[in-house]
Amino acid sequence: LHKAHGWDAISMNYLGDWGTQYGLLALGFERFGTEEELVADPIKHLFDVYVKVSAAAKEEAEHIEAMDADAAAAASPTIQDQARAYFKSMEDGDESALALWQRFRTLSIEKYKQIYARLGVHFDVYSGESQVGEGMSRAIQMLTDTGLLIEHEGAKLVDLTEHKLGKALVQKSDGTTLYLTRDIGAAIERYEKYNFDKIIYVVSSQQDHHLKQLFKTVELLGLPYADRFEHVNYGLVNGMSTRRGTVVLLEDVLHESKEKMHDVMRANEAKYRGVADPDHIADVLGMSAIVIQDMTARRIKNYTFDWGRILNFEGDTGPYLQYAHARLCSLERKAHVKVNPDADVSLLTEEVTCDIINQISLYPDILAASIKSLEPCTVVQYILKLSHSISSAWETIKVCGEADDVAEARLLMYWSARTVIGNALTLLGLEPVEAM
């Protein structure tokens, strides 16, 4: 969206690749992991390992809680204790601990790239909490120098209660950092590297409080770019499930959506035989179904994932938009006239054609509104409305069988609508389908 408005935009995937959870994951891999499963599907395997070790840690904690005080005190270091110690060794530069972490990180990023490539998503930079360098120590020093940092039982924190944001912990009593510390350091380093005019954090609404703490801390530090930070948040998706269970990975959703679209396409054998690459088209339609479902409403709203609704070729769905685009492409191929930019558009006098032309002309205004609100639903709702208008005109505003001058004028209108729908789909990260 920003590139469409002429911004020099850099997309960064900032991974949560550092912290005590990696100590827990390392312990889990020692107990439950295998090299074969790690290489075959790193994200799935590491997720399974993390679930297992987390369950073991919870069970252990409940067992210790049931002990008397002396027995609990005499208990061996818990899984959580070991996880904290492991992460401390990572921060202290332990080579073997860092080597395992680096292996997890590298394999995961390669898998991410494959999934994102399928979605047509490209990141210019893969960064992460682990990549924050001296910015962290500088952040701590700046907080100390400005008098913002206070100590409590050996830990260091920033008191933001005056701003109704509570107390923000930036360093634990054992000296390890937290992700707020790393976020402050990362903000400093990003400005020095990119000299940004605006920086947008696209993060779930569950992190609203954390980002308010971050932005307020940056402001209190007196950094001259503190007013350039913006949080684009989003809600939760409810009711997601696949054949593999209720915990859903993105790759599983994409695969199942593709297969479901294939089933829908196969139901019409005649049309299916005419599709040049049905496997690819099913994949694009499946992704369109998911993306449009996600972007139809305001991003902060939670919604319920519904396979039956999103895969429908009618109504406000991704497949419907792709069908509308493909239908217009088919019209251009079959028309007895070619698209003529000099066609006599004064012949388009019908109320429905005037309405369509008016809607087409609004596209630049829609983009301008979208960059102010940063709401994808503005674009989605616009092309849904345009597609519905095209559909209502289909039977009465015909091209085939009409006189050449009338046919050229109508074809130019349909071509313009198709171009706008295609550009909007591309803007939303989807590949417009020309035949299906």
Side-chain angles (χ1 to χ4, degrees), residues 323-384:
Y323 176 71
H325 184 269
R327 199 180 192 188
L328 289 166
C329 290
S330 176
L331 174 64
E332 291 172 38
R333 290 192 296 268
K334 294 176 180 178
H336 63 284
V337 293
K338 300 297 182 184
V339 175
N340 178 10
D342 298 319
D344 184 3
V345 292
S346 67
L347 297 171
L348 300 173
T349 58
E350 301 85 1
E351 183 179 348
V352 67
T353 59
C354 292
D355 179 54
I356 290 170
I357 292 167
N358 181 56
Q359 287 185 50
I360 292 170
S361 72
L362 292 175
Y363 187 53
D365 296 333
I366 293 297
L367 295 188
S370 297
I371 202 165
K372 287 181 181 178
S373 65
L374 297 179
E375 288 281 3
C377 67
T378 305
V379 175
V380 172
Q381 291 298 333
Y382 165 73
I383 54 173
L384 282 169

Side-chain angles (χ1 to χ4, degrees), residues 112-281:
Y112 293 150
K113 286 180 177 179
Q114 292 173 21
I115 297 170
Y116 284 132
R118 182 175 174 185
L119 282 164
V121 173
H122 167 76
F123 288 100
D124 299 309
V125 180
Y126 275 86
S127 182
E129 294 180 74
S130 66
Q131 306 303 297
V132 183
E134 63 173 14
M136 265 193 304
S137 56
R138 288 169 59 195
I140 294 291
Q141 189 60 52
M142 291 170 70
L143 289 166
T144 303
D145 294 344
T146 53
L148 292 171
L149 202 64
I150 59 175
E151 289 201 19
H152 178 70
E153 297 180 353
K156 296 180 179 180
L157 52 87
V158 177
D159 188 355
L160 298 173
T161 51
E162 180 184 342
H163 307 283
K164 299 181 180 179
L165 292 172
K167 294 178 180 179
L169 189 64
V170 294
Q171 191 175 70
K172 294 180 181 179
S173 57
D174 64 0
T176 56
T177 57
L178 289 98
Y179 67 118
L180 179 60
T181 331
R182 296 187 281 274
D183 277 349
I184 298 168
I188 295 168
E189 292 180 359
R190 285 174 194 147
Y191 182 75
E192 292 175 350
K193 183 172 183 177
Y194 299 111
N195 190 28
F196 53 78
D197 295 297
K198 182 195 291 188
I199 181 166
I200 301 171
Y201 290 70
V202 183
V203 187
S204 148
S205 59
Q206 292 172 303
Q207 297 298 324
D208 283 356
H209 184 71
H210 166 73
L211 286 163
K212 285 176 183 176
Q213 289 185 326
L214 170 64
F215 295 171
K216 179 55 69 175
T217 303
V218 170
E219 177 190 326
L220 294 174
L221 284 172
L223 298 178
Y225 45 88
D227 61 348
R228 304 180 192 183
F229 289 72
E230 186 171 357
H231 177 203
V232 169
N233 59 6
Y234 52 88
L236 301 177
V237 183
N238 302 315
M240 294 185 70
S241 63
T242 69
R243 298 184 184 99
R244 292 172 67 173
T246 55
V247 176
V248 182
L249 300 179
L250 176 58
E251 191 173 36
D252 293 339
V253 177
L254 293 178
H255 176 72
E256 187 153 345
S257 186
K258 173 184 174 180
E259 289 306 306
K260 287 178 179 289
M261 286 311 311
H262 236 144
D263 293 341
V264 173
M265 290 168 63
R266 288 190 189 101
N268 190 326
E269 293 184 14
K271 277 192 176 182
Y272 186 77
R273 286 195 297 269
V275 177
D277 188 351
D279 189 69
H280 175 68
I281 296 300

Side-chain angles (χ1 to χ4, degrees), residues 32 37 43-53 244:
F32 308 111
E37 289 177 281
I43 295 174
K44 172 74 168 58
H45 184 52
L46 292 177
F47 174 79
D48 289 342
V49 164
Y50 192 79
V51 169
K52 289 177 182 178
V53 73
R244 292 172 67 173

